[in-house]
Amino acid sequence: IVHDVALQSIPVTFCLDRAGLVGEDGPTHHGAIDLSYLMCVPNMIITAPKDGDELRDLLYTAIQQDEKPFAIRYPRGSVPRPVTEDRSPETIPIGSWETLVDGTDVAILATGTMVEAALQGCEALRKNGCEPKVVNARFVKPMDLGVLERIAETYDLIVTIEENAVEGGFGACVASHLADRLRSGQRIVNLGIPDRFVEHGPRELLLEEVGLSPEGITNTILRHHKQREERI
């Protein structure tokens, strides 16, 4: 990747199958660190689609551009909803994010499979007095710095969610970029795969174990939201 592609900025498209936790295939096959090792490679474009339609769009976008290597990571599991039939693929502006839900209390920056998990937790968050904003961070690199910096100006609680190692991943890069912009009392919470090898087992069970099920994500956000309310 470094010597033969990125150094020369050759527009190779990397399709990263089995991203995240792959269930019964076990720790030898979990795609848990690709965001972390690709983030530090110059010239890379790194993406993670939220569903099948966006996967098609990102693949189409990748082959339309001819300037940089382009990585698309997607899981072993099925898409969260059926792919739209007879839909032509569309080009997505490189580096753009997408706001799916607007709210005032917490900004959730989710990438890839975690977008659907974040959306599933919205109702429970609202029932507990927390209005979430959910952003589909489909471009992990380059990030949508315009959206990110506006969020940093508005929200005291920012939560990143990725099905990747929390060490050196998407959330760590968000925190690094915002490090000198944080206000007093502002908090960034990074959710991801912990810094250990995850054993084999049903995918849903593994996500629950590492706190990345919709319920686990919701509970973590509510805990931090409550702590923020108590400080206020």
Side-chain angles (χ1 to χ4, degrees), residues 35-36 39 97 109-111 137 139-141 143 148 159-162 164-175 190:
L35 292 185
S36 299
M39 289 289 281
W97 290 354
L109 310 180
T111 186
F139 282 89
V140 179
K141 182 182 180 181
M143 297 188 293
L148 178 58
V159 178
T160 69
I161 318 174
E162 62 195 298
N164 181 81
V166 75
E167 299 290 335
F170 167 65
C173 288
V174 168
N190 299 142

Side-chain angles (χ1 to χ4, degrees), residues 61-78:
T61 301
I63 62 177
Q64 295 302 309
Q65 65 89 38
D66 59 2
E67 296 182 359
K68 293 184 177 183
F70 198 114
I72 309 171
R73 75 183 313 250
Y74 50 93
R76 175 190 178 193
S78 301

Side-chain angles (χ1 to χ4, degrees), residues 14-27:
F14 295 93
C15 296
L16 307 182
D17 186 19
R18 296 172 183 251
L21 300 175
V22 294
E24 287 84 348
D25 285 352

Side-chain angles (χ1 to χ4, degrees), residues 145-146 148-155 158 174-184 186 188:
L145 297 183
L148 178 58
E149 290 167 8
R150 286 194 295 274
I151 285 173
E153 293 170 356
T154 308
Y155 293 85
I158 302 170
V174 168
S176 176
H177 182 77
L178 296 180
D180 59 353
R181 299 172 183 266
L182 296 181
R183 305 182 305 274
S184 176
Q186 196 171 27
I188 299 176

Side-chain angles (χ1 to χ4, degrees), residues 58-195:
L58 287 172
L59 182 57
Y60 184 73
T61 301
I63 62 177
Q64 295 302 309
Q65 65 89 38
D66 59 2
E67 296 182 359
K68 293 184 177 183
F70 198 114
I72 309 171
R73 75 183 313 250
Y74 50 93
R76 175 190 178 193
S78 301
V79 294
R81 59 183 60 83
V83 173
T84 304
E85 295 184 9
D86 301 322
R87 174 186 176 275
S88 298
E90 301 175 359
T91 301
I92 300 176
I94 292 175
S96 66
W97 290 354
E98 174 188 33
T99 297
L100 301 176
V101 177
D102 217 352
T104 55
D105 293 318
V106 55
I108 303 172
L109 310 180
T111 186
T113 55
M114 294 295 99
V115 173
E116 184 68 20
L119 292 174
Q120 289 180 18
C122 283
E123 184 177 354
L125 290 172
R126 294 192 192 99
K127 286 181 178 178
N128 285 275
C130 179
E131 291 291 332
K133 179 186 184 75
V134 179
V135 175
N136 170 23
R138 54 199 176 187
F139 282 89
V140 179
K141 182 182 180 181
M143 297 188 293
D144 193 330
L145 297 183
V147 170
L148 178 58
E149 290 167 8
R150 286 194 295 274
I151 285 173
E153 293 170 356
T154 308
Y155 293 85
D156 288 335
L157 178 58
I158 302 170
V159 178
T160 69
I161 318 174
E162 62 195 298
E163 196 175 341
N164 181 81
V166 75
E167 299 290 335
F170 167 65
C173 288
V174 168
S176 176
H177 182 77
L178 296 180
D180 59 353
R181 299 172 183 266
L182 296 181
R183 305 182 305 274
S184 176
Q186 196 171 27
R187 183 87 187 272
I188 299 176
V189 178
N190 299 142
L191 303 183
I193 299 173
D195 188 24

